[in-house]
Amino acid sequence: MPSIPPLPSFRGSSRSARALPRIPIPTARAIVDCGVYVEGRRLPGRFTHRDALAEVRNRGAGFVWVGLHDPDEAQMADIAETFGLHALAAEDAVKAHQRPKLERYDDTLILVMRTVAYVEHEMHSISEIVETGEIMVFTAPDFVVSVRHGEHSELASLRKELEADPAQLMLGTGAVLHAIADHVVDSYIEVTQSIELDIDAMEEEVFTPRSRVTIESIYQLKREVVELRRAVNPLAVPLQVLGHKPDVPLPKEIRRYMRDVADHHAGVAERITDFDEALSALISAALAKVGVQQNTDMRKISAWVAIAAVPTMIAGIYGMNFTHMPGLEATWGFWLVIVVTLGICFGLYANFHRNNWL
């Protein structure tokens, strides 16, 4: 019989091997808000990022503030082309989890900040306590581009506060840079206050008599404090540069504001260091308390074993089946052994109880 040719395999076929073309997502999808500000006030109407920049440059006054959230490479490349951002900086804006830093490309300042948020949790639950994100701010004389990563780092309320204060916006793009940095540092203060309450609650529990200590929750909080320190402390140097370096392209008034933000940040960094030291001491105290609890449990176990050994020993002696044993033939022998055994056990219990072993 003629053989049937095998059916062609769909695996590895030319149709499946060809990668589907990627549909580009418009840049507008990543833009949260785009505003044009002239003389401290926002111009009415809606602008695209290209039209907004053209409006400012045609007027020769004001600036553009574009806010983006989690842009992809194509969207960030479009923004970089429009505003003349450096390719390396645009690449960093797409990749989150950058270390806090300050960079300068000609007249463009780039400030990277880590954002933090406190996550509500149960006292002894092993869960995330500090959630981190990122904000990257590009500032030049005629534009501000803020790129956010994370759900908790929204700037809509901050934008409304600035728009309600035209005198501040008249200071230019540096005012927006200061407002964002101040907003981020204020969030650090809120998070440290919440963590301080957690540490106080743990200290109270550890040093409460007869309380059971859960070491895992203390370790979890210490790990979150370490993550908080890594997000907060590296920002100290950029803030010092923005506040004290006269060659930074910022107005003198903005540098004064930046020094105030740097002072607040220094206070937060000191509190985080205190948290780390307090948790280390708390872990030592908790381990010592656990050791005491284990010793107490071992004493109780040893005491009960000693009491249980008395009837076991007596029963073993009288179970050796010797012919001549005291009280073996007497009618009162069994009850005498029971009374002696109970008396010894009661004496041991009283002695252990008097010495706080039971």
Side-chain angles (χ1 to χ4, degrees):
M1 296 180 62
S3 60
I4 300 176
L7 295 174
S9 175
F10 288 99
R11 182 178 300 175
S13 63
S14 59
R15 177 177 296 181
S16 61
R18 289 196 301 266
L20 294 176
R22 183 177 180 181
I23 301 176
I25 302 176
T27 306
R29 295 285 296 276
I31 296 178
V32 178
D33 198 354
C34 178
V36 177
Y37 300 88
V38 179
E39 296 182 354
R41 299 188 180 277
R42 180 169 181 166
L43 296 183
R46 301 183 62 181
F47 297 86
T48 65
H49 59 287
R50 296 180 185 273
D51 295 339
L53 186 61
E55 178 71 21
V56 168
R57 291 180 175 175
N58 289 336
R59 287 174 175 265
F63 63 91
V64 181
W65 182 4
V66 179
L68 298 98
H69 182 249
D70 286 333
D72 58 23
E73 294 181 2
Q75 293 167 343
M76 196 62 209
D78 183 20
I79 295 293
E81 179 183 359
T82 302
F83 292 93
L85 306 179
H86 197 278
L88 293 177
E91 181 181 356
D92 289 343
V94 176
K95 299 177 181 178
H97 306 295
Q98 297 289 323
R99 182 181 176 84
K101 59 183 179 180
L102 175 68
E103 294 182 345
R104 181 177 179 180
Y105 293 91
D106 298 329
D107 60 346
T108 302
L109 285 177
I110 304 171
L111 178 61
V112 180
M113 295 172 287
R114 299 293 300 275
T115 60
V116 297
Y118 180 79
V119 180
E120 296 293 339
H121 61 283
E122 297 293 333
M123 180 65 178
H124 295 293
S125 63
I126 306 301
S127 61
E128 187 178 22
I129 301 175
V130 177
E131 181 183 359
T132 59
E134 183 179 309
I135 294 180
M136 193 171 188
V137 186
F138 301 82
T139 57
D142 56 356
F143 68 82
V144 177
V145 177
S146 57
V147 183
R148 300 189 296 108
H149 294 278
E151 298 299 329
H152 64 274
S153 56
E154 61 90 17
L155 298 175
S157 58
L158 176 64
R159 187 187 287 261
K160 291 181 180 179
E161 291 178 4
L162 282 175
E163 291 175 355
D165 188 4
Q168 189 73 10
L169 285 176
M170 287 183 67
L171 296 175
T173 57
V176 179
L177 179 63
H178 160 261
I180 296 176
D182 188 53
H183 173 74
V184 171
V185 173
D186 285 345
S187 69
Y188 294 166
I189 296 175
E190 294 176 1
V191 171
T192 53
Q193 290 174 348
S194 299
I195 290 181
E196 185 175 12
L197 295 177
D198 287 344
I199 294 176
D200 291 342
M202 285 188 177
E203 287 180 343
E204 183 178 357
E205 182 174 356
V206 168
F207 294 108
T208 299
R210 300 180 181 179
S211 62
R212 289 289 178 178
V213 179
T214 306
I215 301 295
E216 289 80 4
S217 59
I218 303 178
Y219 278 121
Q220 172 72 8
L221 184 55
K222 185 174 178 60
R223 188 188 70 82
E224 296 295 318
V225 168
V226 170
E227 183 178 357
L228 179 63
R229 185 181 68 231
R230 291 176 179 174
V232 172
N233 287 9
L235 187 59
V237 175
L239 292 179
Q240 289 294 329
V241 172
L242 291 173
H244 295 85
K245 293 291 185 179
D247 58 337
V248 175
L250 289 176
K252 185 177 181 179
E253 188 68 18
I254 296 299
R255 290 204 301 271
R256 291 175 180 171
Y257 290 146
M258 283 297 183
R259 287 196 289 270
D260 181 67
V261 175
D263 291 340
H264 293 169
H265 179 273
V268 173
E270 291 176 359
R271 293 183 70 182
I272 294 175
T273 301
D274 294 341
F275 292 164
D276 197 16
E277 295 175 354
L279 286 172
S280 297
L282 199 59
I283 289 175
S284 299
L287 290 175
K289 188 170 184 178
V290 169
V292 172
Q293 290 174 350
Q294 290 177 345
N295 290 336
T296 301
D297 294 339
M298 289 302 299
R299 285 190 302 179
K300 291 181 179 180
I301 294 173
S302 300
W304 285 114
V305 168
I307 294 174
V310 173
T312 304
M313 180 187 65
I314 295 176
I317 292 174
Y318 276 87
M320 291 187 297
N321 296 324
F322 284 104
T323 304
H324 302 287
M325 296 184 71
L328 190 63
E329 300 294 336
T331 57
W332 44 264
F334 171 78
W335 298 109
L336 178 63
V337 171
I338 294 297
V339 170
V340 171
T341 301
L342 292 177
I344 296 175
C345 291
F346 180 78
L348 289 174
Y349 178 84
N351 184 53
F352 288 140
H353 185 72
R354 183 173 59 254
N355 292 288
N356 295 323
W357 280 46
L358 289 176

